Structures are given as structure tokens and as C-alpha cells.
Amino acid sequence: MTELRVATIGYAFMGRAHSNAWRNVGAYFDVPDVQQAVLVGRDPAATKEAARRHGWADTATDWRDVVGRDDIDVIDICAPGWLHAEIAIAALQAGQHVLVEKPLSNTLAEARAMVDAAAAAPGQVAMVGFTYRRVPALAYARRLIAEGRLGTVRQVRASYLQDWLADAAAPMTWRLRKDTAGSGALGDIASHAVDQVQYLTGQKVTTASGTLRTFVTERPGPDGTEPVTVDDAAWATLGLDGGAVASVEVSRVALGRKNALTIEVYGSAGALAFDLERPNELRFLDGSDPASESGFRRVVVTEPEHPYLDAWWPQGHVLGWEHAFTHQAADFLGAVASGTQASPSFAEGLAVQEVLDAIESSAARGGAPLRIGE
């Protein structure tokens, strides 16, 4: 396989990030060549301008015009969540590979249908875009935990705080309507936090208790004030099958926090901490150090021995947020070329969706703990 022809559906925030990855991945990683064939968006003029800027050969205004085309190998879904299931299932049934942004879908029923479609198409790669798995510092953290450097993992703290909705006058968007977004901060950013809890520890969440809160209940819309029908913030306590306990806190109204994903993992023999606002750093504590020297050390994750770094710059030259998308594209293309399934799979996306659903159900029951799948 020498070339894969890609169609990306969506040209805004995520569409731009994915476009940058498709355009650059072949320059740094040994993967099949990528042809940026079609960019899809509802606004013809805006889509054409985005295509010109980001290197797409053609445009379309309806995803149905590209799904199933013989000259398209990969469907990359950056559309809102309520479209994920319909597009992904159609693409898999048409014999195309699929990359879909997180969360996998808006509902458990849709997520399960997507998993079934992927299982019925074993020749196609079906991957969900939990891109922070591809941040080198977090990939290295997973390696340290898997190697036993932390001993038995006991506690995890995952927090993802933003403030783009802190202003009560911020306008209504599709992300604030349950029928289009599914949920608010829960699906948007708690999905990342929950995925990291399971990805880093290698443990599955088995129980969840949760609280949801909508602090700004109305927003100005194009036709007047509209009710906000999703959460602004969420809190959860999660039990894992390896005995660890995780706490998750997310918010889109945390004034002063722009994109602050912080993760702390505490084990019997060590600990580590990560902050996305310092993405090239991992703090690591070796519990075997003598008390007189004990403390977190700062590891700058820019060495060729670190995940993905051998493709980039000399030691000490840092990477940015956008590089994780290039790493994601490289892993996806590598799976297509080798005929193997990529991770995170749709089944892994469903596992996150089940946790989010349990958190929401628990919140509706006053925070009562629930077993996943109840």
C-alpha cells in the first residue's frame, strides 16, 4: 500500500488539527503516503477556503457524497457527536477505514452499534481519537507504570478544567444542546480524563458515582435566550478492577484555566504527575530514594528514547499540542498498512462511554454508586 486517500468531515477546530496532521505525517514517519482528497463542510465558501489553506484537493458539502466513493480509503470524522454513528457505520459498511473524534458517540446505543459495525468489518481499521494518548509525556507515563516503576497503583487524580464558558454572556452553541452534544463537559472533556485513567493504569473502571452541575442555565442564542440542556461541570469517583480509586473533575467554567488537563498517579513504589499546560514535562517520584533525597524529579520528555521523539528534533527541542495529532495519524496509518486494529478501538471508546453514562445516571440518583453496565 503506497497511498491512502483521505476525506475529512469537518473543517473547523478539529478539522484544522486533523488537516495539519494529514499534511505533515509523511514528512516525519514511515507511513503510506496520504492524499488529502476531500474536505467536507456545510458552508461551501468556508470549506473551500479551509481546503485551500490546509492542502485539500477538493471539497464537498454533504458527507454522503464521499462515504462509499471508490477513490476514498479513509473517512476522518470531525463532525459533531450526533453525526458520528451514522457516518462511521456507513463508512465501515462501504469498506472504508474510519477515524472518529471522541467521544465515540452521544449515546450508549449509538456506541454499541458502532462497535458492532466495526466487528462486522474486520478488514477496516476503526479508531477513536483520544489524542492525548499520543502526547509523549503521557505515553511515557504509561510505560513507567507498565514497567512497575510505581508499584501497585492506588490512587489516580484526573482533572480537566477550561474557562471558555465562564462568561454567562457567552453565546449558545451546539455543544450546549443535549440533542446535538449528548452532554456537556462530561462527554467533551471527561471522556479524555476517563480514557487516561484506564489507559495509564491498564485497569478498567467498574464502579462510578457522579455529580453534574449547570451553573449558567441560559445562554443568548440567535433567536433569543435559550436553555442550556447539558452540564457545565462534572465530578466522579471511580473504582477500578485492579483495586485503584480515581477521582475525576472537569469544568468548562473554571475561570483562569484554559486547557488544563492534570493527572496524578500514586502507587506503592512511586508517583507521577502531568500537566498539559507543560506538555513536555513529566514529574516522577521514585519511592526507593532515601528520605533525605525524596521528591518529584522533572523529566523533560524530549529524548529519542521517549515515545515518538525519534521522528522529530534534537534532544531538548520541545513539541506542541498539535504534534499529538500527527502521532495519532501515524499510528492510524501504521495500523492500516500492517492490517492490524488500532488502539483506541471503537470497543475502547464504548468502554469510556459506559463510564460516562454511569456517571450521568449516578448524578441523576443523587450520586449513588453504580456498577458499570447497570
Side-chain angles (χ1 to χ4, degrees), residues 139-152:
Y140 185 57
R142 174 183 165 90
R143 182 188 299 175
L144 290 174
I145 294 169
E147 290 173 350
R149 299 292 299 278
L150 270 63
T152 300

Side-chain angles (χ1 to χ4, degrees), residues 90-104:
L92 288 168
Q93 291 175 343
Q96 294 163 314
H97 305 287
V98 176
L99 172 62
V100 59
E101 260 300 323
K102 62 80 215 163
L104 186 62

Side-chain angles (χ1 to χ4, degrees), residues 230-284:
V230 298
D231 55 284
D232 285 329
W235 297 260
T237 301
L238 309 176
L240 282 68
D241 63 2
V245 177
S247 65
V248 171
E249 177 182 9
V250 298
S251 175
R252 301 191 297 196
V253 295
L255 192 61
R257 294 295 188 183
K258 302 305 177 184
N259 197 36
L261 172 64
T262 59
I263 300 169
E264 301 171 3
V265 184
Y266 299 95
S268 60
L272 57 81
F274 170 80
D275 182 350
L276 185 60
E277 293 181 344
R278 303 178 73 91
N280 293 277
E281 298 178 13
L282 184 69
R283 291 191 298 144
F284 172 67

Side-chain angles (χ1 to χ4, degrees), residues 137-219:
L138 287 171
Y140 185 57
R142 174 183 165 90
R143 182 188 299 175
L144 290 174
I145 294 169
E147 290 173 350
R149 299 292 299 278
L150 270 63
T152 300
V153 174
R154 295 168 171 168
Q155 296 174 248
V156 183
R157 296 179 62 201
S159 172
Y160 201 163
L161 306 178
Q162 301 174 340
D163 72 353
W164 62 279
L165 288 172
D167 184 353
M172 195 71 180
T173 78
W174 67 268
R175 291 186 180 275
L176 299 173
R177 301 183 183 101
K178 190 171 182 62
D179 59 343
T180 52
S183 63
L186 184 67
D188 186 16
I189 51 181
S191 57
H192 276 304
V194 170
D195 183 65
Q196 282 296 315
V197 166
Q198 298 189 123
Y199 166 72
L200 290 174
T201 64
Q203 300 182 29
K204 290 187 176 182
V205 176
T206 56
T207 62
S209 61
T211 300
L212 305 182
R213 183 67 62 85
T214 304
F215 292 102
V216 181
T217 57
E218 295 181 332
R219 297 275 183 179

Side-chain angles (χ1 to χ4, degrees), residues 103-125:
L104 186 62
S105 65
N106 281 3
T107 69
L108 269 181
E110 291 175 344
R112 288 170 178 149
M114 293 171 74
V115 170
D116 290 343
Q124 279 82 255
V125 172

